[in-house]
Amino acid sequence: MTSPLHHLQRAGRLERLFINGHWILPEGRERVSVICPSTEQSLCEIALGDARDAERAVLAARGAFPVWSATPPQQRAALLGRIHALLLERSDLFAAALTLEMGAPIGYARSAHVPLAAEHLRVARDNLASYPFIRPRGTTAILREPIGVCALITPWNWPIYQITAKVGPALAAGCTVVLKPSELSPLSALLFAEIVAEAGAPPGVFNLVSGTGAEVGATLAAHPQVDMVSITGSTRAGVLVAQAAAPGVKRVAQELGGKSPNIVLPDADLAQAIPPGVVAAFRNMGQSCSAPTRLIVPRNQLDRVHQLALAALGQMKVGDPMDAATTHGPLANRAQFERVQQMIEAGLRDGARLLAGGPGRPEGLARGFYARPTIFSDVHANMVIAQQEIFGPVLAILPYDTVEEAIAIANDTVYGLGAHVQGTDKEQLRAVAARIQSGQVHLNYPAWDPQAPFGGYKQSGNGREYGIEGMEEYMEVKSVLGYYG
């Protein structure tokens, strides 16, 4: 397998930013180590940009916007198609980078992280090809126009997936972008900048500035020449970005935290409902904002739920993410490892029943940010582990006596990003879904749909990503009266 580190070092990418079509040295000299989560050792150092670099990138994007926004949709779609093809062509390189930088098992990086990221590009390309930018409404024309320069701030947990979920529709809409990836998992972002350049993006249309949220993120959010900010991250980070953006009255799209419920209705087939629920809660080592980490089940079926949940857990193997047999690797960074340990201790203090896992590393793993997949039962809705986002492999089982109580438990959270409902009565499934306060609801574990808009209620954010709605997020609406008079 080609080493992404060797590739990036040989090309001189680690010490450079991508601005206005060129790989350039940053204005400052700050560097940060990229830590391998499976060894806790430094992989390399990358250069961090500062406010001056963010300024250069914004001005480059502003300069490119008039021409790019007027480019025919078929030309923009062609660029997206070339980026999509290059991402698939180099899928092994991207997968290896993800394994190194954030601990994704190589098999999962290949089967989920990279192909799902590619799907965002394909969907953006295909939607653009048939999108009606002008629609009649009587004698009025409703126009959709690109909003302008967009700052895109992406997280460390699904690095390339979140990049394509933003860059694809933004470019499709006719916007120019400045990407600030997480400095904790930057390798896949640098590889992505390479393929955007190779695909022939005009100078200034796509720019990448590595840096911290406090420096580069804050500069981008407050910059008067930035028309929109799209951030995926914690609710705390989303609030800070919105506050910085507020004086400019710019649009802010936020995909933030979650504490997603999974309601198992009384008529559900537990053998079909519980094992996939455990797998979904622990996907990406629990580091998914929409992971259904609250399993809400009938109290009178609790023993059977326990049996099935433990059996599902027994199929998981935590270990070296480069091992093809590994299903779950380390947590992505030290801060997240420590957060998960604290939350497991909080569950024990609050009196939740520990079914499996617990504090510390799994047996045989003395080094690396490995955590024990943990299941608590007899969890009450007011416990810390039922209210706060853990962002790790911790599942809380909450029993209920009535469906009304189950719905109340599901909605008893400040978040509202994703939800699941399991059962056999289709009408009841739909009725329960209608009453859950979340931006997306999955009924009986359907296939992932890249056209399904994704976003949150309440403190899970605002705005939508994916599909047509994801592209429209990067557009302004203009009505021209008398257009058809």
Side-chain angles (χ1 to χ4, degrees):
M1 180 188 299
T2 302
S3 166
L5 265 182
H6 177 70
H7 171 87
L8 291 168
Q9 287 169 337
R10 183 180 58 197
R13 306 303 188 221
L14 298 176
E15 64 270 13
R16 295 177 186 269
L17 314 174
F18 187 73
I19 298 176
N20 207 24
H22 301 284
W23 290 95
I24 64 173
L25 293 171
E27 291 285 350
R29 297 188 178 185
E30 186 176 359
R31 302 289 186 270
V32 65
S33 289
V34 180
I35 303 300
C36 177
S38 57
T39 66
E40 301 184 47
Q41 301 300 307
S42 175
L43 289 166
C44 60
E45 287 191 342
I46 65 161
L48 295 183
D50 60 16
R52 294 167 294 177
D53 299 302
E55 173 78 16
R56 284 197 290 177
V58 171
L59 293 180
R62 176 56 62 194
F65 177 70
V67 173
W68 180 247
S69 61
T71 300
Q74 59 267 30
Q75 290 186 27
R76 303 202 298 267
L79 174 64
L80 289 168
R82 293 192 296 272
I83 300 170
H84 173 255
L86 286 168
L87 178 56
L88 291 178
E89 182 182 305
R90 298 176 193 176
S91 59
D92 279 351
L93 191 65
F94 277 91
L98 293 162
T99 299
L100 285 173
E101 69 186 357
M102 54 81 60
I106 189 64
Y108 193 62
R110 289 171 173 160
S111 65
H113 279 264
V114 177
L116 296 184
E119 276 295 277
H120 288 310
L121 295 170
R122 181 194 64 79
V123 164
R125 178 198 65 192
D126 293 353
N127 286 345
L128 173 60
S130 60
Y131 187 78
F133 285 88
I134 302 177
R135 302 176 187 179
R137 186 178 297 170
T139 60
T140 296
I142 309 299
L143 280 59
R144 295 274 184 171
E145 299 179 340
I147 194 169
V149 174
C150 299
L152 311 178
I153 301 174
T154 56
W156 48 259
N157 60 315
W158 286 86
I160 190 61
Y161 175 94
Q162 288 293 345
I163 287 171
T164 60
K166 296 182 190 299
V167 172
L171 296 185
C175 297
T176 55
V177 305
V178 179
L179 170 67
K180 191 211 84 66
S182 171
E183 69 277 17
L184 299 177
S185 53
L187 305 182
S188 54
L190 294 170
L191 293 173
F192 183 74
E194 282 192 338
I195 66 173
V196 172
E198 189 172 328
V205 168
F206 171 88
N207 306 274
L208 181 149
V209 181
S210 300
T212 65
E215 177 81 8
V216 173
T219 299
L220 293 174
H223 200 290
Q225 292 294 316
V226 169
D227 300 291
M228 174 182 170
V229 184
S230 177
I231 176 173
T232 297
S234 67
T235 298
R236 175 182 172 277
V239 169
L240 291 173
V241 165
Q243 289 172 337
V249 199
K250 58 174 60 77
R251 183 180 303 173
V252 178
Q254 303 162 310
E255 195 264 275
L256 308 176
K259 194 68 180 174
S260 299
N262 186 357
I263 298 178
V264 178
L265 294 171
D267 68 342
D269 180 343
L270 294 184
Q272 298 295 317
I274 301 305
V278 175
V279 171
F282 290 159
R283 68 174 180 265
N284 207 42
M285 204 54 174
Q287 298 167 125
S288 295
C289 48
S290 62
T293 54
R294 292 185 297 144
L295 186 59
I296 304 169
V297 302
R299 191 182 305 276
N300 60 6
Q301 300 185 60
L302 202 53
D303 288 344
R304 178 62 174 153
V305 168
H306 291 167
Q307 293 171 3
L308 291 166
L310 291 172
L313 192 67
Q315 300 300 308
M316 300 177 186
K317 179 187 176 183
V318 179
D320 180 358
M322 292 304 297
D323 186 340
T326 294
T327 61
H328 293 73
L331 292 161
N333 51 69
R334 181 178 300 279
Q336 201 53 39
F337 174 80
E338 293 174 352
R339 163 79 174 173
V340 169
Q341 299 305 311
Q342 292 165 4
M343 295 302 288
I344 291 173
E345 294 287 359
L348 295 172
R349 284 196 306 272
D350 284 348
R353 178 181 173 186
L354 182 65
L355 290 185
R361 293 178 174 84
E363 186 176 350
L365 295 170
R367 186 176 64 175
F369 303 132
Y370 295 98
R372 300 172 68 190
T374 297
I375 300 177
F376 284 105
S377 189
D378 294 322
V379 176
H380 302 297
N382 61 353
M383 288 183 178
V384 170
I385 59 171
Q387 290 294 324
Q388 294 188 24
E389 183 176 43
I390 300 174
F391 225 60
V394 181
L395 175 64
I397 298 176
L398 296 89
Y400 69 85
D401 295 306
T402 68
V403 172
E404 286 293 320
E405 183 187 2
I407 295 170
I409 292 171
N411 289 332
D412 185 15
T413 172
V414 298
Y415 299 111
L417 190 57
H420 290 247
V421 188
Q422 319 306 323
T424 57
D425 184 330
K426 198 71 172 180
E427 291 307 310
Q428 186 180 37
L429 283 169
R430 292 168 176 165
V432 171
R435 296 179 60 190
I436 295 177
Q437 299 164 357
S438 70
Q440 199 172 80
V441 183
H442 298 235
L443 305 181
N444 290 335
Y445 307 115
W448 178 71
D449 182 0
Q451 290 282 12
F454 180 71
Y457 285 27
K458 300 186 282 188
Q459 291 186 25
S460 286
N462 56 67
R464 292 296 179 266
E465 295 189 303
Y466 314 169
I468 293 293
E469 291 78 5
M471 186 168 68
E472 290 180 337
E473 201 69 39
Y474 296 93
M475 299 180 187
E476 289 283 20
V477 178
K478 177 188 287 181
S479 57
V480 182
L481 286 71
Y483 190 98
Y484 298 106

